[in-house]
Amino acid sequence: MLEKALSKTAPSTATANFSGRWQNDLGSTMFLAVSGGRLDGTYTSAESAKGGPITGDVIGFVNGDLISFVVNWPTAAITAWVGQQTEESGTTVLKTLWQMTTNIADAEEPEQLWSSIWAGADIFRR
């Protein structure tokens, strides 16, 4: 399946600028620095299970206008995003899909493991 998908993709012709501050529709912000094809930074989620903002480290990769990054939260959770930078009404946007996994107690894993994986979408703007 992956080989088929990769055979249909066009090679990226331009390197997008992902560095700087991004904000999504929920008010979460991230600051990214890119060096070569790697990125790092910080992500502050406006919402958390404890009711307030939470910050985690970002690591990831860029390839042309494609991006993939992961945040390791200090609350036993990890979120991964993949997406693509594009233009919308003259504004640079980053459209992404994400999956987050949270820890489930070992004793609860047989019945609850799949409930630990959440999915969604984010649109980030500069």
Side-chain angles (χ1 to χ4, degrees):
M1 176 82 100
L2 179 59
E3 290 174 4
K4 186 176 180 181
L6 290 175
S7 70
K8 292 183 179 183
T9 61
S12 182
T13 57
T15 300
N17 179 10
F18 289 100
S19 294
R21 181 184 185 273
W22 294 87
Q23 182 170 341
N24 71 11
D25 294 335
L26 298 174
S28 299
T29 58
M30 65 179 169
F31 294 88
L32 300 178
V34 178
S35 177
R38 296 182 182 264
L39 66 85
D40 67 304
T42 58
Y43 189 110
T44 300
S45 177
E47 299 181 10
S48 73
K50 295 185 179 185
I54 187 171
T55 300
D57 293 328
V58 175
I59 59 170
F61 298 94
V62 297
N63 184 346
D65 61 356
L66 304 176
I67 188 169
S68 174
F69 59 95
V70 177
V71 175
N72 185 14
W73 303 106
T75 57
I78 297 173
T79 308
W81 285 260
V82 294
Q84 188 164 355
Q85 190 180 118
T86 189
E87 294 289 321
E88 228 176 52
S89 301
T91 301
T92 301
V93 296
L94 178 55
K95 293 190 173 187
T96 65
L97 297 176
W98 57 263
Q99 287 191 311
M100 179 180 72
T101 186
T102 59
N103 191 44
I104 298 292
D106 292 346
E108 297 174 12
E109 284 180 357
E111 290 88 25
Q112 300 295 320
L113 189 62
W114 288 111
S115 69
S116 73
I117 300 172
W118 300 44
D122 276 320
I123 297 175
F124 295 90
R125 291 175 175 77
R126 292 220 182 248

